[in-house]
């Protein structure tokens, strides 16, 4: 299927995964990322869409990939199915960037818009720029609506994770 992807697109909007429940219902964070992706698609309607997320005990235990649920949500919000590239069955942020390579290489030269949450943007940007140093990459972050304490915890987790990545580079 990747061989059939070789198409010229000006850009690709990459929606990074986040949790869904055991029935496939997206978390608020995932829905916020969907809203951000929809806003980007409205500004760039000819850009292709790429969703990420497979399975993992901490974010998706259903029989369908998380990327499938995000794609279905975006289709219900008006993005045509024809805009979507095959989702990436990743289980973490490092895999989001690395496992997207076959799809992104099939669409060489396209700008990448990486959609994630505000608390996750710095680490996601680091990973995508490390993985694709010669690509034009723009970050697009959704606002996370959680309590101040929850946001502080998320931000601290991301700070530590980014520090570990940089120390192991």
């Amino acid at each position: 299927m990747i061989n059939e992807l070789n198409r010229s697109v000006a850009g690709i909007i990459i929606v990074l995964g986040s949790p869904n429940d055991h029935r496939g219902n997206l978390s608020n964070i995932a829905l916020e990322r969907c809203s951000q992706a929809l806003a980007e698609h409205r500004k760039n309607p000819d850009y292709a869409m790429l969703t990420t997320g497979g399975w993992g005990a901490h974010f998706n235990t259903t029989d369908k990939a998380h990327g499938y649920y995000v794609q279905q949500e975006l289709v219900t919000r008006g993005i045509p199915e024809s805009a979507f590239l095959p989702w990436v069955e990743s289980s973490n942020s490092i895999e989001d960037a690395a496992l997207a390579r076959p799809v992104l290489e099939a669409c060489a030269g396209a700008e990448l818009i990486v959609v994630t949450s505000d608390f996750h943007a710095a680490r996601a940007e680091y990973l995508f720029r490390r993985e694709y140093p010669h690509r034009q990459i723009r970050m697009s972050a959704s606002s996370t609506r959680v309590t101040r304490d929850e946001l502080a915890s998320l931000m601290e987790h991301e700070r530590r994770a980014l520090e570990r990545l940089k120390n192991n580079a």
Side-chain angles (χ1 to χ4, degrees):
M1 186 157 154
I2 299 287
N3 293 337
E4 299 170 17
L5 288 179
N6 290 321
R7 65 185 198 184
S8 178
V9 294
I12 301 170
I13 300 167
I14 305 168
V15 187
L16 300 188
S18 54
N20 56 259
D21 69 15
H22 66 282
R23 292 190 178 124
N25 299 307
L26 297 176
S27 67
N28 286 338
I29 290 173
L31 292 170
E32 290 164 353
R33 291 179 186 185
C34 287
S35 294
Q36 190 69 25
L38 181 60
E40 288 295 343
H41 186 264
R42 286 183 175 147
K43 290 187 273 185
N44 305 287
D46 55 342
Y47 278 32
M49 301 290 298
L50 175 64
T51 61
T52 70
W55 295 269
H58 64 286
F59 76 96
N60 180 23
T61 58
T62 70
D63 63 345
K64 292 188 172 82
H66 174 75
Y68 165 83
Y69 296 116
V70 173
Q71 181 175 329
Q72 293 308 302
E73 176 67 22
L74 291 169
V75 167
T76 65
R77 293 186 188 200
I79 298 178
E81 287 187 23
S82 61
F84 288 90
L85 299 168
W87 56 78
V88 175
E89 294 180 359
S90 52
S91 61
N92 58 55
S93 299
I94 294 170
E95 288 183 3
D96 286 341
L99 297 179
R101 182 170 298 287
V103 176
L104 299 180
E105 285 181 350
C107 301
E111 174 191 25
L112 307 180
I113 300 175
V114 180
V115 174
T116 190
S117 302
D118 48 6
F119 66 86
H120 184 248
R123 182 162 58 115
E125 182 172 14
Y126 177 84
L127 291 167
F128 274 83
R129 289 195 188 283
R130 180 180 75 177
E131 193 73 29
Y132 306 99
H134 303 295
R135 296 293 288 260
Q136 182 179 352
I137 299 172
R138 182 167 60 85
M139 299 305 294
S140 182
S142 63
S143 295
T144 305
R145 293 175 186 89
V146 295
T147 68
R148 188 178 331 188
D149 289 344
E150 290 171 312
L151 186 57
S153 177
L154 290 167
M155 291 174 72
E156 179 59 18
H157 168 81
E158 290 299 318
R159 186 195 64 73
R160 285 190 314 260
L162 181 56
E163 186 177 301
R164 279 191 307 274
L165 284 168
K166 288 180 176 180
N167 288 337
N168 293 326

